[in-house]
Amino acid sequence: MTERILIVEDEKSIARVLELELKFEGYETAVALTGSEALIHFREQDWDLVLLDLMLPEIHGLDVLKRIRASDAKLPVILLTAKNDVKDKVAGLDLGANDYVTKPFEIEELLARIRANLRVKNPVDDNLHRFEELTLNESTREVVRAGRQIELTPREFDLLLYLMRHPKQVLGREQLLNAVWGYDYYGDTNVIDVYIRYLRKKIDFGEDATYLQTVRGVGYVLKEQPHEAQA
């Protein structure tokens, strides 16, 4: 899923540059020009990280930080501070800010700090696989799509796991058969078609988009596609 960053900066030119750079890097963004706007955005939407200028109109950045921390202790917050505001930097870190960048800053340094803080917030879990709104946990053998718990048989789970390990790759029936059923399986390769139908009923039924697509004459691919366009 795309990570979402709230930019809180009252200088419109800086806010615009940050917005363009972050969108170019693939993040979703929103801009707040005042402390009040920042708190409205924070309360109304979920964010993965906040870039917070301290010298804001209406509500000071440190007060915005206090209110964020009062309801979310883990959301990464990077302060944007003036060069000589040592007291504000210290106060911000004491209030729970994760990091700070001094203006004027190099955009590459800021992007690196954003990536570092997002890694801490979302550590890589090799047992957790995600594709769009679909999540599969190898450890707990739980499968969830858009908050909906999906119950799978052991074989269905193993087939979906292999597909999720190779998203957007066209996988042939023989390849799927060997990976999931084993090289010593001597049954009909049509068993793949049967189990794909089982998975579709459980994963794609009633959804706006399907994830399990047929590539005629070849096999299957895990790829998002509107229902009406399904092969």
Side-chain angles (χ1 to χ4, degrees):
M1 297 178 65
T2 304
E3 289 163 314
R4 309 183 72 246
I5 297 177
L6 176 60
I7 302 164
V8 186
E9 169 60 65
D10 67 319
E11 292 187 45
K12 292 183 180 180
S13 59
I14 295 177
R16 183 58 178 159
V17 169
L18 289 172
E19 184 180 30
L20 291 173
E21 291 285 350
L22 291 173
K23 285 184 176 178
F24 181 78
E25 293 295 321
Y27 300 109
E28 287 186 21
T29 65
V31 173
L33 300 175
T34 69
S36 300
E37 285 182 25
L39 291 173
I40 291 171
H41 280 293
F42 170 70
R43 291 175 185 135
E44 292 184 349
Q45 300 179 61
D46 293 326
W47 302 98
D48 294 293
L49 184 140
V50 177
L51 294 177
L52 178 61
D53 185 30
L54 291 182
M55 301 304 294
L56 295 171
E58 297 180 9
I59 302 175
H60 192 274
L62 289 177
D63 292 319
V64 173
L65 177 59
K66 284 180 188 177
R67 298 185 195 187
I68 289 175
R69 281 291 173 255
S71 58
D72 191 328
K74 295 182 178 180
L75 176 65
V77 177
I78 299 177
L79 302 180
L80 305 178
T81 70
K83 187 174 183 180
N84 297 318
D85 285 348
V86 176
K87 289 183 179 179
D88 279 348
K89 291 174 190 174
V90 172
L93 293 172
D94 286 343
L95 287 171
N98 300 81
D99 202 351
Y100 68 85
V101 176
T102 301
K103 298 179 186 179
F105 49 79
E106 295 290 336
I107 192 65
E108 290 302 326
E109 178 188 359
L110 177 60
L111 291 173
R113 289 177 183 269
I114 288 171
R115 290 191 295 269
N117 279 279
L118 288 174
R119 281 197 298 271
V120 172
K121 178 180 182 289
N122 303 309
V124 175
D125 184 348
D126 293 336
N127 291 315
L128 196 62
H129 304 271
R130 289 190 178 91
F131 180 79
E132 301 298 334
E133 294 183 315
L134 184 64
T135 303
L136 180 150
N137 190 317
E138 284 189 68
S139 299
T140 63
R141 297 187 74 83
E142 290 180 314
V143 177
V144 177
R145 178 167 179 177
R148 173 172 61 92
Q149 196 88 18
I150 300 171
E151 296 295 331
L152 299 180
T153 66
R155 192 71 78 182
E156 290 167 351
F157 182 91
D158 292 342
L159 178 57
L160 180 61
L161 173 60
Y162 191 78
L163 288 161
M164 291 189 73
R165 284 175 172 169
H166 304 84
K168 299 183 181 179
Q169 295 181 33
V170 178
L171 304 171
R173 288 175 177 81
E174 288 285 350
Q175 183 180 354
L176 290 167
L177 197 65
N178 291 333
V180 179
W181 275 260
Y183 287 95
D184 56 352
Y185 176 79
Y186 295 106
D188 195 330
T189 59
N190 285 340
V191 70
I192 297 295
D193 304 323
V194 173
Y195 273 83
I196 289 290
R197 285 200 298 273
Y198 292 160
L199 283 176
R200 277 195 181 127
K201 286 181 180 178
K202 294 182 177 182
I203 292 169
D204 290 339
F205 182 78
E207 299 289 347
D208 293 332
T210 64
Y211 290 163
L212 296 169
Q213 317 305 331
T214 302
V215 181
R216 297 193 184 281
V218 183
Y220 298 96
V221 58
L222 185 68
K223 182 177 70 173
E224 186 177 31
Q225 194 166 288
H227 260 301
E228 60 271 17
Q230 184 181 345

